[in-house]
């Protein structure tokens, strides 16, 4: 079954149309990259997938694992295995990372009729997870994202993803603001967490990340439309030539 | 004892001159104490044995601490207090005992910091000073075990209670003190004064928790005085009382003194809590961090007034003040007022305040992780309190306080809180 099927998606925010007809099909095992300059609507697409209430879908459809995604609340989407790594992760006052992660995992488990983890059990699971991706537990007892550096916030999003084991992960600019070492650790973690039945959408405006996570498909989003799709070589071409040549009017001229 | 009688007399004279404050006074603009003035509260006959041990533990809501000094309706209870096993150099006893044992130490400090001339409730409390708690750490004595002081109200109608604490930590000593005010029910009036001395190079964590009955009135002054290179970590929590007002004053009176002054209010119904803080940077090279959070539901009302004074010559002062107020209902209200008075030029002073309902972005972040709206609201609300509780350094106190927070939040209309 396809994981995601986006058809002619139009979305507005504050009455302004940002997405103007998006089509996208993602199958199990695939990595898709969505690229495009700042302001082209990449984060809007990501937020619409996660169900942010500020964005209105005015046309089109999104099927996720055969279900109408637009029928589901954000929390229901998460419980069905959709995960968004935020471009700007939010800090949560007073709630430690360990507590937050357990609350999230337990919310998902509860919804699936599974037994909830107590703090001790969860700590073991968390340690094992950290080991898999080769990270330490130094952020665990700090309030979620509070006073974290840019890199720590991005890493923290990946850790949440690791613990929640999503079917579809959307990573919104998880690479931006990372130095090359941090970028490698994040890319390695993402690669290690890949499962045959899951898929990943990488939203980025640099090709840099794609040196470490090889995408199956690359799409160019421009002014709310997918203007080009191709294989990995498209990313390299974008790197070399920029985005201007992908504009429809450029092709006409 | 002669000086003590004279002190009471001066205090009552002062109170009769000034009387109760009115809302025309700037410092009392938001807090109307008319119902206290007209409440016909009176000191009753002491009945220190009216509470059983089980009732006290229930009221205290804390683990079974030792040492603990217990006062019922302001009167020392020998039966409920537990004072064995104190290390050498640590004194925990009733003030009336300390006055007889070491009058020179008590008279050197008592009523020297919380000035009855400047606050009419302090004057009233000092005028009726009968007994209280005395904690003394001698030089170089270090003990991180919390000393628990409990002021429990039996719930007698119309009772006026005047608790008093004197905490003295001598040079380089280290101490942890938990001061708890509690009562199950009843319309009573507590008017407490605590004085804290942290001498040169000494360190104190002082956590004050007010969970008085919902019909009770609670007015208090806590005044601390710090010497050079001392550290004071202070926390003021208001969960109870219908009307409460806590004046917290801190003087950093030696170079290198460090203060954290945190506070938390969680209120609902028609509760009102007012925190007035004054941090006085009297000497150079001192640092203060102030963080007050408030959670207000239904028609509850919070007031925060944070005054910071940097005296001439107090160069290199580093001071940060933050006040966050969460309004869980449309009728809830919070007033926040910073008051910076800076008379030195080489200083770093910042302040900030937030006010409003739960933030939409945070709500969405939690929901995007599978947490439903109700749980997300509870979690974020709990976070406002846990932000303060998590900063308490003493683990036993932190655990107690967390349990009390969860209990307090569970009685907000929004329902039971995460465990
Ligand atoms: N919440 C919002 N409110 C108002 N405008 C928004 C909001 N989110 C996005 N936009 C606008 O939508 C456009 C696309 O933004 P975005 O999706 O963030 O682009 P990208 O992620 O590709 O940089 C921009 O013009 C941006 O200003
Ligand atoms: Mg973006």
């Amino acid at each position: 079954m396809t994981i995601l099927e986006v058809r002619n998606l139009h979305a507005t925010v504050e009455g302004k149309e940002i997405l103007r007809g998006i089509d996208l099909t993602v199958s199990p095992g695939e990595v898709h990259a969505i690229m495009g300059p700042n302001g082209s609507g990449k984060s809007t697409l990501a937020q619409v997938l996660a169900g942010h209430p500020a964005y209105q879908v005015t046309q089109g459809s999104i099927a996720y694992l055969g279900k109408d995604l637009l029928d589901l609340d954000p929390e229901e989407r998460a419980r069905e295995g959709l995960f968004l790594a935020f471009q700007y992760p939010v800090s949560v006052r007073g709630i430690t990372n360990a507590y937050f992660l357990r609350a999230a995992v337990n919310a998902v488990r509860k919804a699936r009729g599974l037994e909830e983890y107590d703090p001790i059990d969860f700590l073991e699971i968390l340690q094992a997870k950290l080991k898999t991706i080769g990270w330490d537990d130094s952020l665990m007892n700090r309030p979620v994202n509070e006073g974290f550096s840019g890199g720590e916030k991005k890493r923290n999003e990946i850790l949440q993803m690791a613990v929640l084991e999503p079917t579809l992960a959307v990573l919104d600019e998880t690479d931006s603001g990372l130095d090359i070492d941090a970028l490698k650790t994040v890319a390695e973690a993402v690669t290690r967490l890949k499962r045959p039945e899951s898929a990943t959408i990488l939203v980025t405006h640099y090709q840099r990340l794609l040196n470490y996570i090889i995408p199956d498909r690359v799409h160019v989003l421009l002014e709310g439309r997918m203007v080009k799709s191709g294989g990995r070589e498209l990313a390299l071409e974008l790197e070399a030539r920029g985005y201007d040549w992908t504009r429809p009017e450029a092709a006409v001229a | 004892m002669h000086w003590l009688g004279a002190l009471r007399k001066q205090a009552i004279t002062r109170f009769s001159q000034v009387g109760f404050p009115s809302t025309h006074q700037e410092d009392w603009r938001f807090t109307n104490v008319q119902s206290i003035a007209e409440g016909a509260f009176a000191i009753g006959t002491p009945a220190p044995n009216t509470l059983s041990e089980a009732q006290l533990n229930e009221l205290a809501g804390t683990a079974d601490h030792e040492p603990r000094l217990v006062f019922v309706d302001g009167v020392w209870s020998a039966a409920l207090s537990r004072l064995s096993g104190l290390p050498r150099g640590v004194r925990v006893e009733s003030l009336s005992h300390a006055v007889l044992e070491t009058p020179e130490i008590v008279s050197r400090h008592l009523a020297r910091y919380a000035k009855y001339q400047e606050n009419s409730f302090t004057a009233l409390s000092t005028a009726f000073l009968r007994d209280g708690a005395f904690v003394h750490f001698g030089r170089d004595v270090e003990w991180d075990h919390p000393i628990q002081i409990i002021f429990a109200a039996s719930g007698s109608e119309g009772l006026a209670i005047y608790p008093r604490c004197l905490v003295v930590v001598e040079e380089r000593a280290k101490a942890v003190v938990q001061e708890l005010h509690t009562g199950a029910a009843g319309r009573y009036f507590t008017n407490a004064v605590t004085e804290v001395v942290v001498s040169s190079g000494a360190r104190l964590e002082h956590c004050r928790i007010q969970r008085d009955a919902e019909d009770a009135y609670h007015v208090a002054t806590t005044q601390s005085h710090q010497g050079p290179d001392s550290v004071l970590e202070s926390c003021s929590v208001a969960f109870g009382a219908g009307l409460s007002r806590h004046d917290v004053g801190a003087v950093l009176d030696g170079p290198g003194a460090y203060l954290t002054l945190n506070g938390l209010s969680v209120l609902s119904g028609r509760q009102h809590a007012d925190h007035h803080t004054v941090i006085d940077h009297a000497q150079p090279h001192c640092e203060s961090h102030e963080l007050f959070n408030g959670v207000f539901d239904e028609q509850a009302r919070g007031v925060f007034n944070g005054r910071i004074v940097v005296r001439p010559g107090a160069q290199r002062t580093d001071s940060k003040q933050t006040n966050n107020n969460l309004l869980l209902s449309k009728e809830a209200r919070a007033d926040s007022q910073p008051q910076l008075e800076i008379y030195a030029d080489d200083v770093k002073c910042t302040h900030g305040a937030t006010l409003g309902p739960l933030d939409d972005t945070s709500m969405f972040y939690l929901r995007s992780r599978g947490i439903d709206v109700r749980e997300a609201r509870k979690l974020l609300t709990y976070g406002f309190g846990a932000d303060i509780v998590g900063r308490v350094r003493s683990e036993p106190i932190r655990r107690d306080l967390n349990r009390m927070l969860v209990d307090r939040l569970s009685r907000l209309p929004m329902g039971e809180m995460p465990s």
Side-chain angles (χ1 to χ4, degrees), chain A residues 43 87 172-173:
Chain A
S43 290
Q87 181 174 6
D172 190 0
E173 307 263 6

Side-chain angles (χ1 to χ4, degrees), chain B residues 21 54 81 116 158 160 171 174 251 286 293 297:
Chain B
S81 298
Y116 64 81
E171 281 86 347
K174 291 194 171 71
V251 181
C286 294
N293 285 359
D297 205 348

Side-chain angles (χ1 to χ4, degrees), chain A residues 13-14 16 18 37-44 54-55 87 173:
Chain A
V13 60
E14 289 172 3
K16 193 169 92 182
I18 309 292
N38 267 330
S40 56
K42 303 183 299 296
S43 290
T44 300
Y55 299 86
Q87 181 174 6
E173 307 263 6

Side-chain angles (χ1 to χ4, degrees), chain A residues 47 50-53 73-75 78-79 83-84 86 90 92-95 99-100 103-104 107-108 145 157 160 164, chain B residues 293 324 354 359-362 364-373 375 379-380 382-384 386-387 391 418-419:
Chain A
Q47 298 279 336
H52 195 298
D73 284 334
E75 57 270 31
R79 292 167 189 172
F83 180 86
L84 169 63
F86 283 53
V90 180
V92 188
R93 177 181 290 136
I95 303 296
Y99 193 108
F100 180 61
V108 172
N145 294 328
E157 294 292 289
Q160 291 175 25
L164 289 170
Chain B
N293 285 359
N324 300 311
T354 62
D359 167 58
D360 288 341
T361 313
S362 306
F364 177 62
Y365 191 59
L366 267 61
R367 294 179 74 191
S368 78
R369 300 303 181 242
I371 299 167
D372 67 32
V373 174
E375 274 307 310
L379 203 60
L380 292 174
Y382 169 69
F384 256 76
D387 187 23
R391 288 168 207 262
S419 54

